[in-house]
Amino acid sequence: MSDPLHVFKCNLERDIVIDSLIPANTSGSFCDLLTGTHPTAGKLALKRPRGSYDERLIARIEIEARVWASLKHSRILRFLGIWRIDEEIYFVSGFAENGSLPVFLKRKPDVDRLVL
């Protein structure tokens, strides 16, 4: 069986080091979030889908990867690819130091939202 995710292979994968799991309150219901580092790319966000990697989950991962790879905007983290290590699959992107927009707005409720 061919791997539908091979077209999204992350070119950085050989040198990524997983650093830590981001606290559970920042993870979603579908994925765990981890941080990683790469010698030239710096700090990375690693999103690991939860569940059994059956055909249905692989199809969902493929759809998300295809959509994310097509998005090009300064306010959207660039999708760097899919990284497979052992039986795990990770979405790889740059790391947003300020977290997600909802987390940032909760920490800074007085920020000018129109400027964002």
Side-chain angles (χ1 to χ4, degrees), residues 12-72:
L12 305 174
E13 69 180 9
R14 289 176 28 171
D15 298 318
I16 295 174
V17 175
I18 295 175
D19 296 328
S20 65
L21 182 65
I22 295 174
N25 62 342
T26 59
S27 293
S29 58
F30 176 59
C31 295
D32 291 316
L33 302 174
L34 297 93
T35 59
T37 52
H38 183 269
T40 57
K43 193 168 185 178
L44 300 171
L46 306 170
K47 180 178 169 183
R48 181 181 59 204
R50 290 190 195 126
S52 171
Y53 291 112
D54 57 15
E55 286 183 30
R56 184 174 173 189
L57 182 56
I58 295 295
R60 287 177 65 186
I61 291 169
E62 181 182 10
I63 290 167
E64 183 168 345
R66 192 169 308 284
V67 169
W68 194 0
S70 73
L71 300 174
K72 309 290 186 229

Side-chain angles (χ1 to χ4, degrees), residues 24 48 77 106 111 113:
R48 181 181 59 204
L77 287 172
K106 191 177 280 187
V111 71
R113 292 167 186 235

Side-chain angles (χ1 to χ4, degrees), residues 68-103:
W68 194 0
S70 73
L71 300 174
K72 309 290 186 229
H73 191 278
S74 62
R75 302 278 189 211
I76 297 173
L77 287 172
R78 194 175 108 211
F79 176 62
L80 300 175
I82 295 282
W83 178 38
R84 284 183 180 252
I85 182 168
D86 299 323
E87 298 299 314
E88 303 286 335
I89 296 174
Y90 298 87
F91 293 91
V92 181
S93 70
F95 185 80
E97 287 294 334
N98 289 316
S100 67
L101 182 59
V103 170

